[in-house]
Amino acid sequence: MSLKAGIVGLPNVGKSTLFNAITKKHILAANYPFATIEPNVGVVTVPDTRLDYLVSLYNPKSIVPTTFEFIDIAGLVSGASTGEGLGNKFLSHIREVDAIVEVVRCFDDENITHVEGATDPIRDVEIINTELILADLDIVVNRLGKIEKKAETTKDKDSIREVNVLKKIKESLEASTPIRLLDFDDDELEIIKNFNFITQKKIIYVANVDEVSASVGDNDYSLKLKEYAHKENASVVVMCAKLESDLADYEDSEREEFLKSVGITNSGLDKLIFATYDLLGLATFFTSGPDECRAWTFKKGMKAPDCAGIIHTDFKKGFIKAEVMSFNDLEDAGSELKVRENGKLRLEGKDYQVQDGDICYFRFNV
């Protein structure tokens, strides 16, 4: 299951530095606007101690963790929706992602130029969000111009429904409210799904702070950002992108030791990865044995046949049953045999909703 989160923000807020840290790749992170012209794609491994436990239990020949993609998208500027700063090109990249990670500068540094002249996280967020809103509004207005008259003259039910939902969106965007804050029924969602609206995508904010602020967890700038994000039910991850990037090449044990030495208990990167994973409504099931222990990404609410299809389409087509045990039951019992003896191994059918941490063996016949 290929899912993507796009990293956006104004120039020089730390997007590429964050991307370096996330993917342990050293792309161009220059101190001037438009250093990143093409989107850079990095595959992120989701840390999971449950997979580590399975590996220790089965000692498999192959280990495959779950992953998803982060895309570093070049800095947007005021006027991007009308083409400023190569804006149209960058906006098209954002339309291709499943969720948005908006990096917001929450530090002062006279050596790093701020495109707007001074640090102001709320102003920066509103610049980005306004450009994304204007980009969506342009699509809505253009579409209404093509279909509204047809709906009025033909009384076509499908056209009328589309006009109504687009007018609802237009009113919201003109009030500077992103589409993700609106409520839609299933029919409305079906109508708008192909528009790929940017502001319909889920969003998480990264407060990029200095090293001192990262050690205490917040500063005045990040607190203001949290207050802003709370109003739209969005999350904020506070981290120092430069510190995380500097630590990217350390061994895990060395990195943990250093973070503790500067008073940081949890890696900002891990917090961001987990938060984004959760934001996308993702969860993990496992397949395990002596040949391979593997973590699989699925969307919460998916049923057993659909999860089987993630492994192979034939598994879904010929699905019979799923043998399922929860990770917690396996960890408590200490072995698969004990899980069976305890009566905790279950046979589940087509209507079973797979749960995070399930260990599955799919029976199928094609």
Side-chain angles (χ1 to χ4, degrees):
M1 178 175 289
S2 178
L3 291 160
K4 303 173 183 177
I7 304 174
V8 305
L10 293 175
N12 298 342
V13 298
K15 294 186 294 60
S16 295
T17 303
L18 173 61
F19 183 82
N20 288 347
I22 287 174
T23 62
K24 298 187 180 180
K25 293 180 180 178
H26 297 288
I27 61 169
L28 179 63
N31 178 26
Y32 54 87
F34 316 127
T36 314
I37 302 302
E38 294 296 336
N40 295 272
V41 181
V43 178
V44 175
T45 297
V46 180
D48 199 323
T49 56
R50 296 172 300 183
L51 182 61
D52 297 335
Y53 178 84
L54 293 176
V55 169
S56 68
L57 195 64
Y58 290 96
N59 192 27
K61 299 173 186 175
S62 174
I63 306 164
V64 185
T66 190
T67 62
F68 66 94
E69 293 180 359
F70 273 101
I71 301 176
D72 179 33
I73 297 169
L76 291 167
V77 294
S78 182
S81 59
T82 57
E84 290 294 325
L86 304 180
N88 289 332
K89 186 176 184 180
F90 301 155
L91 288 168
S92 70
H93 293 316
I94 301 173
R95 292 195 188 281
E96 297 171 4
V97 304
D98 300 289
I100 296 171
V101 176
E102 186 169 332
V103 182
V104 185
R105 179 166 165 171
C106 292
F107 66 89
D108 293 315
D109 189 331
E110 61 184 18
N111 296 316
I112 301 179
T113 304
H114 193 297
V115 71
E116 292 294 325
T119 305
D120 184 341
I122 305 307
R123 177 207 59 211
D124 292 357
V125 167
E126 290 182 342
I127 287 173
I128 295 293
N129 290 353
T130 295
E131 294 306 320
L132 302 185
I133 283 172
L134 290 173
D136 279 349
L137 184 59
D138 185 55
I139 289 176
V140 171
V141 170
N142 286 338
R143 179 59 180 166
L144 281 173
K146 294 177 180 177
I147 195 174
E148 194 168 9
K149 189 173 182 180
K150 174 188 174 184
E152 291 175 356
T153 56
T154 66
K155 306 300 181 183
D156 177 70
K157 291 182 179 180
D158 290 338
S159 298
I160 291 172
R161 280 196 291 265
E162 183 177 347
V163 167
N164 288 338
V165 71
L166 289 177
K167 283 184 174 180
K168 172 181 174 180
I169 290 171
K170 182 173 179 285
E171 182 179 343
S172 173
L173 294 174
E174 288 177 338
S176 298
T177 301
I179 298 171
R180 62 180 167 271
L181 298 184
L182 296 177
D183 292 322
F184 297 103
D185 60 33
D186 290 341
D187 289 339
E188 289 174 326
L189 288 173
E190 184 66 24
I191 290 169
I192 66 175
K193 69 177 184 179
N194 292 326
F195 286 99
N196 212 9
F197 290 122
I198 298 174
T199 65
Q200 189 182 1
K201 300 178 188 298
K202 294 182 179 181
I203 192 167
I204 189 169
Y205 295 100
V206 171
N208 186 18
V209 301
D210 55 43
E211 188 173 320
V212 173
S213 299
S215 66
V216 298
D218 268 307
N219 61 23
D220 289 342
Y221 294 135
S222 63
L223 289 172
K224 289 179 181 177
L225 180 60
K226 284 184 175 181
E227 183 180 350
Y228 180 95
H230 179 72
K231 295 175 184 177
E232 57 175 63
N233 297 318
S235 299
V236 176
V237 174
V238 179
M239 62 188 295
C240 175
K242 184 179 185 304
L243 173 64
E244 300 279 352
S245 183
D246 290 344
L247 292 172
D249 292 323
Y250 281 39
E251 294 293 330
D252 289 345
S253 58
E254 293 176 320
R255 184 164 54 252
E256 289 177 12
E257 189 65 31
F258 181 83
L259 288 172
K260 287 180 182 178
S261 72
V262 296
I264 300 175
T265 54
N266 295 307
S267 163
L269 284 182
D270 285 352
K271 287 191 290 184
L272 177 60
I273 291 170
F274 290 135
T276 309
Y277 200 70
D278 185 64
L279 180 73
L280 288 169
L282 305 179
T284 303
F285 74 87
F286 301 93
T287 52
S288 57
D291 288 331
E292 180 182 81
C293 284
R294 181 163 184 161
W296 300 87
T297 301
F298 71 101
K299 284 215 167 189
K300 293 175 183 176
M302 286 179 67
K303 294 184 178 180
D306 295 316
C307 285
I310 293 172
I311 300 174
H312 197 286
T313 54
D314 284 348
F315 285 22
K316 180 177 180 178
K317 290 176 184 176
F319 179 87
I320 300 172
K321 292 284 184 181
E323 288 187 10
V324 182
M325 57 181 164
S326 74
F327 174 81
N328 289 338
D329 287 341
L330 177 62
E331 187 178 37
D332 290 342
S335 73
E336 189 173 325
L337 178 60
K338 286 289 186 182
V339 172
R340 292 176 182 271
E341 290 175 352
N342 294 340
K344 295 294 182 71
L345 183 69
R346 313 185 308 275
L347 273 181
E348 301 288 0
K350 292 182 178 180
D351 292 331
Y352 175 68
Q353 286 191 358
V354 176
Q355 301 298 306
D356 183 54
D358 277 351
I359 301 164
C360 302
Y361 174 79
F362 296 107
R363 298 181 183 179
F364 71 102
N365 183 25
V366 292

